[in-house]
Amino acid sequence: MHRAVPLPSAPASTVVRNRAPAQVIPVVIWRWAVGLFLLGPIFSPNGVTGERLTNEVYCAPAMTNRAVGGPVFQAASTRRMVERLADLRANLDVRGAIYANDERVKLIRKLLPTQMAPGPRGSLLADLANQLLLSGQPAEALDAYQALEDFSATNHMELSMDTRKGVRIGKATALLRLGEQENCLMSHNSKSCYLPLEPAGFHQLTRGSRGAITLFTEQLGMYPGDLSSRWLLNLAYMTLGEYPAKVPAAWLIPPQVFASDYALPRFPEIAGALGLDVDGLAGGCIIDDFDNDGFLDLIVSAMGLNSQLRYFHNDGDGHFTERTQEAGLQGLPV
């Protein structure tokens, strides 16, 4: 019997059955992969090469209003906090850190050359694909899913039904993310993230959504009660401007489902004009007049392991200026 590679277990696991000799091989598959499209961190690709920008981005353009240079003062207690946080990050055990996906990818890639037996290697390939998807690298995740399928075929391994389902959903989710990166991020506008989507938010580069439609349609043909796949199929058609006309009747979510019970005005996106179009993962903010000038300022956090706590000064003229460095907050990830 093959021993599983000592990585943290995922929310659910499935098995791969080897045709000859008979054995059961564990392969980790994230059953809730569909949620990654909406919740996971996204990184903007450089064209179609798969290269990544360093900013953490989710449906937001790169911020141009950077901090103004100036004298920096940090209290000794703040410096100790910065050093302590840096030490914690440097010594993090990524095997148990479910949000340290970039680091987990690096760990898995180091382990792969040491695991050639079908069972452990299959587990690593599956986990690699999942972690790449979670870290916002959909093109690389698609390659990893393909590597898992190729490895299984070469070694005469039969993927279990649950594993094939997980791979299919993972690939479909990766394709949706790819479409989002190539459109919502690279050609962002104020309509990019409204639902239901309007023409200004439709994708111009269609390969991601087209591929996802194929896979979600296949999934629904096998699992007609899969409501997550049904929702994402309708969403994929919507990104192409083909909802509801081209959605198969069996899987269509009627437009009236999106209708409000009463009139709800939309909030226009004005972050760019205010100087607040920050690239970051989900976080929190504090609104207060920190310098007692009569205008409300902002402190913004993000959930990334290395995300910087940022301070934006209200200039009083409808614009904000980042003064993180001047406030002595540099190096404080929160």
Side-chain angles (χ1 to χ4, degrees):
M1 178 179 293
H2 296 290
R3 298 182 62 187
V5 178
L7 284 173
S9 59
S13 63
T14 56
V15 298
V16 174
R17 293 182 176 84
N18 197 334
R19 292 194 184 112
Q23 55 188 343
V24 176
I25 302 171
V27 173
V28 175
I29 293 292
W30 294 74
R31 295 188 179 181
W32 43 269
V34 292
L36 308 182
F37 172 63
L38 300 176
L39 300 178
I42 302 287
F43 289 83
S44 176
N46 182 4
V48 295
T49 64
E51 297 179 10
R52 301 166 65 206
L53 303 179
T54 56
N55 283 339
E56 302 164 335
V57 290
Y58 186 89
C59 287
M63 179 178 171
T64 57
N65 186 36
R66 298 302 176 190
V68 178
V72 178
F73 170 79
Q74 277 191 327
S77 58
T78 303
R79 291 197 298 272
R80 289 196 299 271
M81 185 186 301
V82 170
E83 293 168 0
R84 175 59 175 156
L85 291 171
D87 180 69
L88 289 172
R89 296 197 303 276
N91 294 286
L92 177 69
D93 183 358
V94 300
R95 294 173 298 177
I98 62 174
Y99 297 115
N101 308 111
D102 286 338
E103 298 304 317
R104 287 165 69 92
V105 166
K106 295 176 184 177
L107 174 61
I108 295 169
R109 283 176 167 160
K110 287 181 180 179
L111 290 173
L112 271 172
T114 70
Q115 300 293 334
M116 302 308 297
R121 190 168 183 82
S123 295
L124 283 177
L125 286 172
D127 203 20
L128 176 62
N130 295 327
Q131 295 303 318
L132 285 166
L133 183 54
L134 284 162
S135 65
Q137 302 181 67
E140 293 85 349
L142 288 167
D143 290 340
Y145 282 122
Q146 186 62 53
L148 171 61
E149 293 177 314
D150 293 344
F151 178 77
S152 301
T154 300
N155 289 272
H156 308 290
M157 295 159 51
E158 181 181 357
L159 294 175
S160 71
M161 184 177 297
D162 281 348
T163 300
R164 291 196 300 271
K165 178 181 178 182
V167 169
R168 187 184 308 112
I169 293 296
K171 290 167 67 175
T173 305
L175 285 163
L176 277 178
R177 280 206 161 174
L178 187 64
E180 185 182 28
Q181 289 180 341
E182 292 179 340
N183 293 274
C184 179
L185 295 179
M186 305 303 283
S187 303
H188 181 79
N189 63 71
S190 62
K191 306 295 185 181
S192 294
C193 299
Y194 282 144
L195 282 179
L197 289 176
E198 298 180 1
F202 294 162
H203 290 188
Q204 301 304 307
L205 301 176
T206 63
R207 63 171 182 165
S209 291
R210 291 286 179 212
I213 285 172
T214 298
L215 290 170
F216 283 128
T217 301
E218 178 184 336
Q219 172 71 9
L220 287 165
M222 301 177 65
Y223 302 93
D226 185 346
L227 296 181
S228 294
S229 291
R230 183 178 177 183
W231 158 246
L232 292 176
L233 176 70
N234 280 259
L235 182 62
Y237 275 107
M238 194 181 293
T239 65
L240 301 176
E242 298 176 355
Y243 170 90
K246 294 188 178 181
V247 182
W251 318 126
L252 175 64
I253 298 176
Q256 54 265 34
V257 171
F258 296 97
S260 299
D261 294 332
Y262 49 89
L264 287 172
R266 291 194 169 186
F267 288 89
E269 181 179 316
I270 60 173
L274 295 179
L276 294 172
D277 49 339
V278 177
D279 301 344
L281 305 178
C285 70
I286 302 172
I287 304 174
D288 205 342
D289 182 5
F290 293 106
D291 58 355
N292 295 316
D293 64 356
F295 299 104
L296 295 176
D297 309 302
L298 290 171
I299 287 183
V300 181
S301 68
M303 64 177 289
L305 186 63
N306 296 300
S307 297
Q308 170 68 48
L309 186 70
R310 305 170 82 163
Y311 166 57
F312 293 91
H313 175 261
N314 189 333
D315 300 332
D317 58 359
H319 193 270
F320 288 79
T321 298
E322 182 173 5
R323 292 185 179 174
T324 300
Q325 187 170 336
E326 293 88 333
L329 299 174
Q330 200 66 28
L332 278 178
V334 177

